[in-house]
Amino acid sequence: MPKVWVEQIFTDPEVHILRMDDDRIRYFETVWDIPEGISYNAYLIKLNGANVLIDGWKKNYTHEFVEALSSLVDPKQITHIVVNHTEPDHSGTLPEILKLNENKATIIASSFGKRLLDSFYGITNVQAVSDNQEVQIADRRFNFVMTPWLHWPDTMVTYMDGILFGCDVAGGYSLPSTIDDSNEKIVEEYLPYVTKYIVNVIGHYKNYIVEGVQKLSTLEIKAILPGHGLVWKKDPQRILQHYLDVASGVAKEKKICVVYDSMYGFVENVMKRVMDLLRSRGFELTVHRFSDESEAFVGDILKDIPDSRALIFGVSTYEADLHPKMRHVLYEILDKANYEKPVVFFGVHGWAASVEITVKKLLKDSKLRFISFVEMKGSKIEEGKIEQSIEQLLEELE
Ligand code: FEO
C-alpha cells in the first residue's frame, strides 16, 4: 500500500501537506521508467473562515485522497480549490472532491487551465485568473503567477505569505524519506531525481524554465511547496538554482556521458578502449549500455546529459541505419536534452559504412556539436583512429 503523509508544515496560517507516495507506478506519462516512484503533493490552507485546497492527486488514489483530506477538514467546508496545473497527476481527484463538496468551492485556475478542466472533466464553473492577479481569501492575499510550459501551457504557481505552491515547478521523482529539505544527505540523494524529472518531463520546454524561474526570482520566497517530492523550507533558492542549472546545461568539469549498443561485442570492444582512454585522462564516465542481456533506461540517459561536458555514442549499424535503440535514444536527446555539447560517435558495421550520414542529418539542426564519427568494420580497429578522435575531443574541451 503506497504511503500517505498528512503533516502540518506551517502554523500561521495553517498549511498542511497531503502527500501520496506512488510506488506502484512504473512508467511516468506511460513512457519514463521510474523504479524510484513519484509522490503527488496537495496542500490544505486553513484560514479564518476559509479552507483552500491546492491541487490534488492522481485519480487512482481518489479513495486515499478523500480519506486523507477528510482527516483535516470536511470536504463540504472547502471554500476554494486552486488548480495550478490540470495534468491529471494533480487534478485526477478533483471531480470526486467537487462531488463531496457539493460544488460549493470556488475553483481557481489560469484561463488555459479553465479550458482544460472543461475538456478533461466537464468542469466549467472556474474563476480564471491572469498573470500576477491578486485574490483576497479570508485575511490573506493570494497571488497567481503564470509559468506557462512548466510543464503545460496552463501552468501557474500560487504565492501566499512568502510560500510558493509550485506544482510541477520545483518537483522531482522518487520518494524521499522526509517531507522537507532539512536533511542534507536526503537532499543530495534526491537532486539527481529532480534532474531526471526536469529533463524527462519539462526538457522539451527548457527555455521556459529559465524564463519562469527568473520571473519567480522577483518574489520573496520563504518556502516552496511543489506538487512532487521534497518541500523546500531550509533553502528554497537551492531548488530554483538547480532548475536553472539543469535548464542551462551547467556541466561538471570531468563528467562525460557514454551511451552505446552492442549486439555481438564489436561495439563493446571499441567502447572499452574509448572509456579506458578517457578514464586515463581523468574523466568520470556515466555509462549506459544496451545489449542482448540488459537495457538502459532512456530517462536515466537523459538525466546524465545536462551536467556532462561531452557525449560519446557507440552505435551498431542496423539495416543501413542506427541500431533502433540508439535511434530512439538520439531522438529523445534531440527532443528533451538538446544542449550545446560536443558529441563523438564510434560506429561499427558488418559490410557497409552508412550511419555517419544519418547521424549528421539528425544533428544538423540540433545544438549538439558534432566532432567526429569513427567508423570501423567488425573487429578491425584502425590503429590510432580512436586515440585521434579522443584527442580531438579533448582539444575541444580545453
Ligand atoms: Fe506533475 Fe505536469 O504534472
Side-chain angles (χ1 to χ4, degrees):
M1 177 64 201
K3 182 172 177 175
V4 172
W5 309 61
V6 181
E7 286 190 20
Q8 187 163 347
I9 298 181
F10 291 105
T11 48
D12 182 25
E14 251 186 65
V15 179
H16 303 260
I17 184 171
L18 300 114
R19 175 178 136 179
M20 156 60 70
D21 285 0
D22 189 354
D23 58 4
R24 291 180 183 157
I25 189 170
R26 286 293 166 265
Y27 314 105
F28 192 67
E29 296 180 327
T30 315
V31 52
W32 310 113
D33 290 87
I34 50 163
E36 63 269 31
I38 188 167
S39 78
Y40 314 114
N41 306 344
Y43 300 93
L44 182 75
I45 309 167
K46 287 181 151 185
L47 301 171
N48 211 353
N51 293 303
V52 183
L53 175 63
I54 312 261
D55 298 318
W57 294 351
K58 201 165 75 166
K59 186 183 172 188
N60 315 32
Y61 299 111
T62 300
H63 172 75
E64 291 84 351
F65 188 60
V66 169
E67 202 172 80
L69 185 62
S70 302
S71 72
L72 295 173
V73 68
D74 177 347
K76 281 196 193 71
Q77 306 300 319
I78 294 169
T79 55
H80 298 77
I81 301 175
V82 175
V83 181
N84 280 316
H85 174 31
T86 53
E87 189 164 9
D89 53 331
H90 307 283
S91 68
T93 48
L94 180 61
E96 182 63 18
I97 296 303
L98 283 175
K99 205 161 86 184
L100 296 171
N101 176 256
E102 294 169 355
N103 289 305
K104 289 178 185 163
T106 302
I107 304 167
I108 298 172
S110 66
S111 53
F112 211 109
K114 180 180 163 88
R115 278 158 56 189
L116 292 184
L117 285 174
D118 184 16
S119 71
F120 289 175
Y121 309 111
I123 296 169
T124 52
N125 55 330
V126 176
Q127 180 186 341
V129 285
S130 53
D131 194 20
N132 277 317
Q133 187 173 332
E134 283 190 352
V135 174
Q136 185 78 27
I137 302 177
D139 59 345
R140 306 288 161 152
R141 262 216 293 274
F142 287 68
N143 189 14
F144 301 97
V145 182
M146 301 302 131
T147 50
W149 301 107
L150 298 177
H151 136 238
W152 280 2
D154 64 324
T155 314
M156 64 179 196
V157 297
T158 299
Y159 180 74
M160 179 217 59
D161 271 29
I163 304 169
L164 189 77
F165 298 90
C167 202
D168 275 356
V169 176
Y173 290 141
S174 82
L175 307 171
S177 55
T178 52
I179 285 287
D180 64 29
D181 61 338
S182 50
N183 181 314
E184 181 58 24
K185 189 166 171 282
I186 290 170
V187 172
E188 279 177 20
E189 282 167 4
Y190 172 63
L191 283 174
Y193 294 115
V194 175
T195 307
K196 181 176 168 183
Y197 173 81
I198 296 171
V199 189
N200 289 189
V201 180
I202 323 178
H204 182 81
Y205 308 112
K206 65 181 182 314
N207 293 344
Y208 290 92
I209 295 177
V210 178
E211 214 172 277
V213 170
Q214 279 170 353
K215 195 171 177 186
L216 297 179
S217 66
T218 58
L219 301 172
E220 207 165 297
I221 297 172
K222 74 172 183 194
I224 300 181
L225 278 51
H228 303 289
L230 281 182
V231 160
W232 296 83
K233 269 172 90 176
K234 186 174 140 196
D235 189 1
Q237 289 308 320
R238 184 171 179 184
I239 187 66
L240 292 181
Q241 187 60 48
H242 188 81
Y243 261 63
L244 274 182
D245 288 350
V246 173
S248 330
V250 174
K252 288 179 183 153
E253 182 62 23
K254 289 290 182 185
K255 178 170 173 177
I256 289 182
C257 180
V258 177
V259 189
Y260 66 95
D261 77 273
S262 191
M263 291 191 287
Y264 297 106
F266 297 123
V267 177
E268 180 93 46
N269 286 342
V270 173
M271 296 312 286
K272 274 186 182 154
R273 281 179 59 166
V274 169
M275 292 190 288
D276 284 348
L277 260 173
L278 287 167
R279 287 190 178 114
S280 73
R281 304 295 285 263
F283 285 95
E284 287 155 20
L285 311 180
T286 50
V287 183
H288 301 275
R289 171 174 173 265
F290 296 90
S291 77
D292 56 1
E293 292 176 347
S294 64
E295 167 149 323
F297 290 156
V298 177
D300 284 338
I301 297 172
L302 294 178
K303 173 202 74 176
D304 280 323
I305 310 286
D307 63 354
S308 286
R309 291 285 313 278
L311 317 180
I312 310 244
F313 296 106
V315 292
S316 304
T317 301
Y318 191 99
E319 294 171 352
D321 201 338
L322 285 154
H323 187 276
K325 294 285 182 188
M326 292 302 291
R327 195 164 54 204
H328 176 52
V329 167
L330 262 178
Y331 181 90
E332 291 300 339
I333 289 175
L334 295 178
D335 180 31
K336 302 275 190 177
N338 189 7
Y339 292 94
E340 284 181 31
K341 297 191 188 274
V343 52
V344 173
F345 284 82
F346 297 91
V348 176
H349 63 269
W351 55 92
S354 55
V355 176
E356 182 172 356
I357 294 170
T358 311
V359 161
K360 281 182 171 165
K361 266 191 205 157
L362 268 176
L363 264 52
K364 194 166 69 68
D365 298 320
S366 82
K367 290 183 181 168
L368 292 175
R369 216 160 50 251
F370 178 87
I371 303 298
S372 63
F373 193 112
V374 180
E375 185 71 60
M376 280 153 283
K377 190 179 179 70
S379 62
K380 312 285 182 209
I381 301 176
E382 208 179 310
E383 202 49 48
K385 274 272 191 176
I386 292 176
E387 291 72 11
Q388 197 185 331
S389 78
I390 295 298
E391 283 310 318
Q392 198 182 345
L393 171 67
L394 297 185
E395 276 171 30
E396 181 77 19
L397 294 180
E398 269 172 10

